[in-house]
Amino acid sequence: MAEKVKVVDEYRVAPPPGSLPATLSLPLTLFDLRLLYTTHNNTMKGVFFYPYPQTVHYFIETTIPSLKSSLSLALQYFYPFVSDLIIPPSPQKPYILFTEGNSVSFTVAQYSGEFDHFINDKIKDVKDLQHLAPVLPPARVSPDGTCVKSLLAVQVTLFPGQGISIGIGSSHAVADGRSTHQFVKSWAWFCKSNNVIEIDKFQMPSFNRDYSVNVPQELESKLFQKWHEECHYSYRRPETSQLYADKVRSTFVVKRTHIEKLKQHISNNISTSDIHLSSLVVTSSLVWICFIKSLETRSDEDNDNVCHLNVPVDLRTRISAIPSTYFGNCIAGLYIGVKRNELVGHEGLIAAAKAIGQSIKELRTIDGVLRAIENYVNRVLQNSFGTALLFLVAGSPKFDVYNKDFGWGLPNKAEVLQLGSGNCMTLAECRNDEGGIEIALELKTAEMDAFTQHFYQILDEL
């Protein structure tokens, strides 16, 4: 696959001259530090595929300059992405720093293979997608031991006469998925509108860090200390894709009609007054039990083991003082445990939905939200998962993954890669079925085959 990708050119893109102060800094919050700890040196990556029948000449002479100038404008408004993560020696805390002259890597490449291979939902080698996503530059280390890490890189790849892909690589230390997608959406809007900003349509990001979340102050200090002890030096190592050496990726769709049937099936077996029942709950339940069942060939799996699901919680929708445009990491997580024998049993879907739905229902009050945040950080601090199998939920159908038009129409396909996240389902809105949900998974081939069988069997039996 690598030989099919040819780098055509490499650029650096900066905000427009004089558009920002000479320096800008931003402190890391408790939630940034939590992701700094749990994601180590890993990068969030997204690749968006668009139809593009133009010539190579038009691509180089017209499209690339337009993408660069609109990216420059987007970086002016989302300056943390063109900043550096500064990690000084202990006991100083990491922070984000923009300095005049900062820029991001912008790679232009050409791919000689089939565009259609990437825009369908069929099984594909995960390494194929990695060649279309940029790699963040390695960290720089100063004589005093301070580590300086870039936070964003871009790769634009042309499939001559077929399509184009926009690849984004960003550090989770600077932003969560919602903030990152808002940045890409703004960049796309600037590109389509020839850098004309319509104030009524553009949502200015908020960098205010004064919004109060009343969790014990010592949690942040303990989390920072634990990060310095266990993960500080991991940020000096270059990015690796070894975790993908033997994995394949596939996309599954839960249609709106399936979601309604799943809700009906669950509500027939559980009082809906006891749980929060939503598209997220039923879809996560379905994928979770199919994933656990697909691992039945693993000899170390014990039916008495507790399996855990990590469901992200966007605090922008839970704490009224935090605006929807808040930029950064603003997520806590629910760690939900169910015994493996319950998940793989006949009533596995019910057991999963009950556990997830009850946990989410507890977030309806501010006290419930604050308890969830405190429990979440304490679990990280205590490494309290032991050997329990952890499955992650990433992404969201509310991110508008497919609502990003650079001027060539909406994407044929969007892939959000969770580099280094291990066992993970990535959710997005369905591009072909309003109200449906797309789920992307990365598993070993035999496990993917087993997951596929269980997934469609359950949907067929509804």
Side-chain angles (χ1 to χ4, degrees), residues 253-265 279 282 433-437 459 462:
V253 174
V254 181
K255 296 182 179 180
R256 182 176 56 82
T257 53
H258 290 141
I259 289 173
E260 294 307 316
K261 289 180 180 179
L262 286 166
K263 288 180 179 179
Q264 186 62 51
H265 173 72
S279 298
V282 300
D433 183 78
E434 185 176 356
I437 296 178
L459 291 184
L462 288 175

Side-chain angles (χ1 to χ4, degrees), residues 48-51 401-405 409-414 431:
F48 304 86
F49 296 90
Y50 295 86
V401 171
Y402 285 98
N403 188 19
K404 295 175 178 66
D405 183 359
L410 298 177
N412 292 118
K413 179 70 171 171
R431 63 195 187 278

Side-chain angles (χ1 to χ4, degrees), residues 56-71:
V56 174
H57 178 78
Y58 187 89
F59 173 72
I60 297 296
E61 297 297 324
T62 303
T63 301
I64 292 301
S66 177
L67 284 169
K68 288 168 56 183
S69 64
S70 54
L71 175 60

Side-chain angles (χ1 to χ4, degrees), residues 382-407:
Q382 298 165 11
N383 285 330
S384 60
F385 303 111
T387 59
L389 180 62
L390 177 63
F391 193 43
L392 309 177
V393 179
S396 169
K398 298 179 180 180
F399 282 169
D400 281 343
V401 171
Y402 285 98
N403 188 19
K404 295 175 178 66
D405 183 359
F406 285 85

